[in-house]
């Protein structure tokens, strides 16, 4: 029997932090309290005054395997997740083959079982090959997926999306929607704002996102489908979700730490600032910060989207869309949202650990009977982001070179230590 005890002054209790000890046996939290008797042979980790929080959950990650292992693999991506404090990641389906049938999903699950060091819950696609035309067999795939998504492309046909929502609603799973109207893109690749106009770039208008958010909320009202809106980036989208929640609709959403930290005025002529949706205006960033503060936005997800160095070295116009996020998501959100006093640390824990578990029905936590998913974080420690030290194969991040606060020291997934900060070498 393997035993691990974590003791500390600041352990998350679901509302705040308190002193105590957590005893983990065979992957499960067996006991928690102010005084816990530890059996002989128990490894004891003293967190001291550092925060002990539930392992983080990222509901929007691209692991690139199968099909694109030159960008990332399940092994490297999950090691990066552990380094970032994540114990569960939900893997998007823009793969080759697309997980749109039992055979393709099973091949992905085989790789996950072989190589993942944290829990990986794959999404199956909403439509065959993510082409937006034919529906997949939701009942057949539902038992082994986090939900259904065509992430990377929006479902353009209203009738296809309506039918998809009806089918997914019957399974009880979440439909995670990439909201984007193709006809409004007009060849754009950054936000259609002042930077695009002054630097002769083609812009992506905000309506391309919020127009489809509006449609999908209307369809969720009609079908009862649980709708989760991916990577919200515009103020209009935040307002639409806020109104949907006030109406009591089963609608949730996420945003990324990079949208809370940057706006299009911060753009540089480098591929590490290019992602989809793009960095929007300062007013949009303000709306997103307000949305995480008032509970409109449920989750902070990384949209971890690694590419090769060559694919990200072509400037804003030519580089591939997507940035690496798993290893900076927590400190970036802490630095730009908590230290700026827009939200509290307990709110951040809910956004990155508790809410994703609740929405997607994911196990793990710090209470007796929970699967033992734990992270220890030093939120007082500053560090300079150096992407060359990332465990991910993807190195492109807009945070490179910036100073953030919040260092993950220790990560436990299902009772197994999957990341431990290396001891400093003696001089």
């Amino acid at each position: 029997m393997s035993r691990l005890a974590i003791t500390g002054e600041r352990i998350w209790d679901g509302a705040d932090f308190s002193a105590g000890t957590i005893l983990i046996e065979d992957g499960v939290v067996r006991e928690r309290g102010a005084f816990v008797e530890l059996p002989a042979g128990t490894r004891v980790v003293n967190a001291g005054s550092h925060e002990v929080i539930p392992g983080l959950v990222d509901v929007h990650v691209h692991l690139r395997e199968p099909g694109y292992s030159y960008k990332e693999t399940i092994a490297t991506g999950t090691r990066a997740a552990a380094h970032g404090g994540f114990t569960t990641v939900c893997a998007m389906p823009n793969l080759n083959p697309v997980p749109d049938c039992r055979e393709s999903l099973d091949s992905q699950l085989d790789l996950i079982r072989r190589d993942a060091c944290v829990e990986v819950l794959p999404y199956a696609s909403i439509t065959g090959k993510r082409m937006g035309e034919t529906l997949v067999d939701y009942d057949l795939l539902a038992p082994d997926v986090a939900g259904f998504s065509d992430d990377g492309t929006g479902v353009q046909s209203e009738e296809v999306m309506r039918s998809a929502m009806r089918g997914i609603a019957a399974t009880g799973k979440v439909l995670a929607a990439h909201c984007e109207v193709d006809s409004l893109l007009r060849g754009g690749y950054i936000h259609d704002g002042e930077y695009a106009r002054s630097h002769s770039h083609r812009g992506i208008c905000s309506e391309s996102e919020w127009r489809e958010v509006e449609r999908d909320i209307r369809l969720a009202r009609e079908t009862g489908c649980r709708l989760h809106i991916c990577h919200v980036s515009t103020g209009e989208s935040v307002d639409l979700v806020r109104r949907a929640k006030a109406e009591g609709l089963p609608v949730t959403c996420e945003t990324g730490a990079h949208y809370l930290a940057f706006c299009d005025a911060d753009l540089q002529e480098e591929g590490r600032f290019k992602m989809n949706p793009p960095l929007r205006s300062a007013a949009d960033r303000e709306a997103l910060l307000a949305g995480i503060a008032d509970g409109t936005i449920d989750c902070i997800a990384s949209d971890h989207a690694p590419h090769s160095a060559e694919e990200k070295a072509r400037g804003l116009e030519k580089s591939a869309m997507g940035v690496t996020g798993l290893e900076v998501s927590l400190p970036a959100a802490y630095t730009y949202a908590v230290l700026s006093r827009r939200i509290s640390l307990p709110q951040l824990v809910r956004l990155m650990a508790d809410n994703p578990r609740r929405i997607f029905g994911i196990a793990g936590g710090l209470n007796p009977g929970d699967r033992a998913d734990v992270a220890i974080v030093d939120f007082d420690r500053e560090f300079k982001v150096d992407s060359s030290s990332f465990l991910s194969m993807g190195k492109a991040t807009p945070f490179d070179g910036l100073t953030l606060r919040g260092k993950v020291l220790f990560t436990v997934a299902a009772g197994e230590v999957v990341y431990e900060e290396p001891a400093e070498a003696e001089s």
Side-chain angles (χ1 to χ4, degrees), residues 18 37 47 87 94 96 131 215 231 290 391 399:
S18 57
E37 186 173 342
T87 53
N94 48 349
N96 186 16
M131 297 296 290
R215 182 203 72 179
H231 44 48
L391 301 184
F399 295 102

Side-chain angles (χ1 to χ4, degrees), residues 13-25:
D13 63 11
D16 210 332
F17 296 91
S18 57
T21 298
I22 297 171
L23 175 62
I24 299 167
E25 292 183 346

